[in-house]
Amino acid sequence: MYPLLLKPALKSYIWGGTRLIEEFGKHAESEKIAESWELSCHKDGCNVIANGTYKDVSFPEYIRQEGSGVLGTRAGKFERFPVLIKLIDAKDRLSIQVHPDDQYAMKYEGEYGKTEMWYIVDCEPDASLIYGFKSQISKEEFKERIENGSLLEVCNQVPVKKGDVFFIQAGTLHAIGKGILVAEVQENSNSTYRVYDYGRKDKDGKERDLHIDKALEVTSLDRMEEEGEQTSKKLEQNAYKIQVLAECKYFKTAELEIRTQADMVALGDTFHSLLVLDGDAEIVYAREKIKVKKGDSIFVPAKMGAYSIQGTCRILFSQL
């Protein structure tokens, strides 16, 4: 077993920008990239391996050939590969939307629901996002405001700064605002219900589809729960610092700041996902080395054992 460098699945939506190309080294035929799927087994876009024995093999095929042991024992409680990790460049604001929970999504979409975490990698000084409602509203008012175009009046708009973390439970109305670069860790799902899109039109002059009926069924109109939000867990040493960002039943995510070296161990319980947000380093394992830089995504198989990250970099570290 060895650490896998992953080629991302790239998405060019109308609200995307150029930062993922210019700053994170993503290569695309289009002039802009909205999303870069950095760890994905989803049918709408899966990774391809960029190094070693499995070079040019799709990530799902690698798992099929190696067996579920590369995911670890914790993955056994999930029917499918459990997570999807993205970089998102919101040059313009995203639609106001909501995601279903597991039960609803499995019934109507044939996949997991979507609980997710946002880590603000960078943002413009006046950037903000939508995170639920200002106060509780009724289903009837929600429907009426969607129809008459006044939904923004009751949305909770939150100013953001670099390093902020938001935990978005399934059923929470939300939208990433203009000028925000986000690292997103989520359930392995692409089920999104748009309720408002500012009247925008695509390249063909058509407004994008809305999913109002489904959104009315799944949106939480109550005060949001605190489960899974940013924690204060932190481990700091001279060589590195780990700050836990979010923990829930689907994933655990931390910011890992490498100053010189961090010694890691991938045991049999879970894989490690390393997404390099800044800097560069070497991953050293079994007398081998892999150079990594800003924008690289690395999958470390469970049971790989000891390895170290040597250099100066900032990593979004995720596991089950």
Side-chain angles (χ1 to χ4, degrees):
M1 293 186 180
Y2 65 97
L4 307 180
L5 278 170
L6 301 178
K7 296 179 183 178
L10 303 175
K11 305 293 180 180
S12 182
Y13 304 134
I14 59 175
W15 44 263
T18 59
R19 295 189 66 178
L20 296 180
I21 299 171
E22 297 167 353
E23 300 176 30
F24 288 81
K26 308 301 177 182
H27 302 285
E29 296 180 0
S30 59
E31 295 180 355
K32 59 185 180 181
I33 299 174
E35 296 183 355
S36 178
W37 293 14
E38 300 292 339
L39 180 64
S40 174
C41 275
H42 198 279
K43 60 182 176 59
D44 292 341
C46 62
N47 300 126
V48 174
I49 297 165
N51 67 319
T53 304
Y54 286 97
K55 185 177 180 181
D56 297 327
V57 173
S58 73
F59 189 44
E61 177 61 17
Y62 159 78
I63 296 172
R64 189 192 71 79
Q65 291 188 30
E66 281 288 332
S68 60
V70 297
L71 305 181
T73 55
R74 294 181 194 172
K77 64 183 179 181
F78 300 100
E79 296 180 9
R80 309 172 190 180
F81 188 77
V83 296
L84 199 166
I85 298 176
K86 304 174 180 178
L87 287 171
I88 300 174
D89 177 18
K91 173 75 172 178
D92 197 1
R93 53 192 174 180
L94 276 67
S95 62
I96 301 177
Q97 57 192 239
V98 66
H99 306 302
D101 62 18
D102 290 345
Q103 183 178 4
Y104 188 96
M106 282 293 184
K107 181 176 180 179
Y108 293 102
E109 311 297 344
E111 65 175 358
Y112 291 132
K114 191 175 175 185
T115 287
E116 60 192 7
M117 181 218 73
W118 293 341
Y119 174 73
I120 309 300
V121 178
D122 199 11
C123 61
E124 295 178 357
D126 57 348
S128 64
L129 53 79
I130 290 174
Y131 187 45
F133 297 99
K134 292 179 181 177
S135 59
Q136 183 176 356
I137 67 172
S138 68
K139 189 173 183 178
E140 292 72 25
E141 181 183 358
F142 183 33
K143 183 175 186 296
E144 181 180 353
R145 287 186 177 277
I146 293 172
E147 292 172 346
N148 66 26
S150 65
L151 181 61
L152 284 171
E153 295 178 8
V154 294
C155 289
N156 184 33
Q157 300 199 40
V158 183
V160 300
K161 63 183 184 302
K162 183 176 179 178
D164 282 348
V165 176
F166 295 86
F167 188 82
I168 314 293
Q169 294 189 50
T172 302
L173 195 74
H174 63 277
I176 299 173
K178 177 181 178 180
I180 303 177
L181 185 66
V182 170
E184 178 177 285
V185 183
Q186 58 162 90
E187 289 183 81
N188 184 15
S189 173
N190 200 28
S191 292
T192 298
Y193 303 150
R194 296 189 201 98
V195 298
Y196 184 71
D197 198 31
Y198 309 97
R200 289 184 294 200
K201 297 179 180 179
D202 63 20
K203 61 182 180 180
D204 299 320
K206 298 180 180 179
E207 292 187 3
R208 295 195 295 172
D209 292 337
L210 301 180
H211 315 94
I212 295 172
D213 289 342
K214 289 183 175 179
L216 288 171
E217 292 184 336
V218 306
T219 302
S220 172
L221 306 176
D222 299 325
R223 183 179 296 275
M224 289 177 291
E225 300 292 336
E226 299 297 322
E227 176 188 0
E229 290 199 348
Q230 185 174 12
T231 75
S232 60
K233 295 180 182 178
K234 180 166 58 175
L235 172 62
E236 185 164 5
Q237 299 185 1
N238 291 333
Y240 65 89
K241 179 177 74 172
I242 298 176
Q243 171 70 59
V244 176
L245 302 177
E247 295 183 84
C248 66
K249 63 183 180 180
Y250 304 110
F251 52 79
K252 299 177 182 178
T253 301
E255 181 188 47
L256 176 56
E257 180 185 335
I258 309 294
R259 294 160 181 165
T260 54
Q261 176 174 323
D263 295 322
M264 316 286 287
V265 181
L267 301 174
D269 57 345
T270 179
F271 62 84
H272 294 175
S273 170
L274 311 175
L275 177 55
V276 184
L277 301 178
D278 277 312
D280 52 62
E282 290 183 329
I283 297 178
V284 181
Y285 68 102
R287 300 182 182 179
E288 300 286 342
K289 295 181 180 180
I290 295 176
K291 291 185 178 181
V292 296
K293 63 185 184 306
K294 181 177 180 177
D296 283 344
S297 177
I298 304 96
F299 175 86
V300 180
K303 293 186 179 180
M304 199 190 79
Y307 68 98
S308 65
I309 307 170
Q310 301 177 8
T312 304
C313 62
R314 185 165 56 98
I315 288 173
L316 189 73
F317 173 86
S318 300
Q319 61 180 346
L320 298 184

